[in-house]
Amino acid sequence: MTRFLVYPATSVLLRLLSSQSSEGEIKILAILREKFPKAKNVRVVDISGGCGAMYEVHLESEEFQGKRTVQQHFMVNEALKHEIKEMHGLRIFTKSPSSETE
């Protein structure tokens, strides 16, 4: 079963407390919200089947304004550098609120 955490949404607190979200998803979401306080949307998905070995992150933030994709991804990698050590892989999709594509 694929699990999604989407922020901001009124249901995010319910999902954080729900058994549908893995500990890893909740932890990564909290870190990204802390590191990117201007983030408009954050979505974290455990794509490893629930074991926490691989995640997909979608992040839309004003902090990415004027930065190239490689710079945006570097920022996410820096924010998650300790968690990445325990992962098999990480897919990152970033954009600034004004950009049309990820």
Side-chain angles (χ1 to χ4, degrees):
M1 172 186 234
T2 302
R3 299 176 199 136
F4 292 96
L5 282 176
V6 179
Y7 191 98
T10 55
S11 64
V12 74
L13 292 176
L14 294 174
R15 299 213 80 196
L16 287 173
L17 300 173
S18 144
S19 62
Q20 292 181 338
S21 301
S22 72
E23 285 183 37
E25 290 169 328
I26 294 168
K27 182 178 180 181
I28 292 169
L29 179 66
I31 291 166
L32 292 173
R33 292 299 306 151
E34 179 185 331
K35 300 291 185 177
F36 299 95
K38 296 180 182 179
K40 184 176 178 183
N41 292 302
V42 180
R43 183 172 53 157
V44 177
V45 184
D46 181 343
I47 58 173
S48 65
C51 72
M54 190 161 182
Y55 292 91
E56 186 171 281
V57 171
H58 296 260
L59 185 58
E60 179 180 356
S61 181
E62 290 180 29
E63 285 99 340
F64 299 141
Q65 193 70 38
K67 293 186 174 44
R68 297 181 326 175
T69 302
V70 69
Q71 294 168 314
Q72 296 171 15
H73 289 201
F74 180 80
M75 293 168 68
V76 173
N77 276 307
E78 276 298 302
L80 298 174
K81 64 183 171 187
H82 298 293
E83 290 67 30
I84 288 173
K85 292 177 185 176
E86 304 299 320
M87 293 180 196
H88 173 71
L90 178 66
R91 291 184 190 164
I92 302 172
F93 300 91
T94 58
K95 67 179 184 176
S96 63
S98 62
S99 66
E100 293 292 323
T101 59
E102 292 185 349

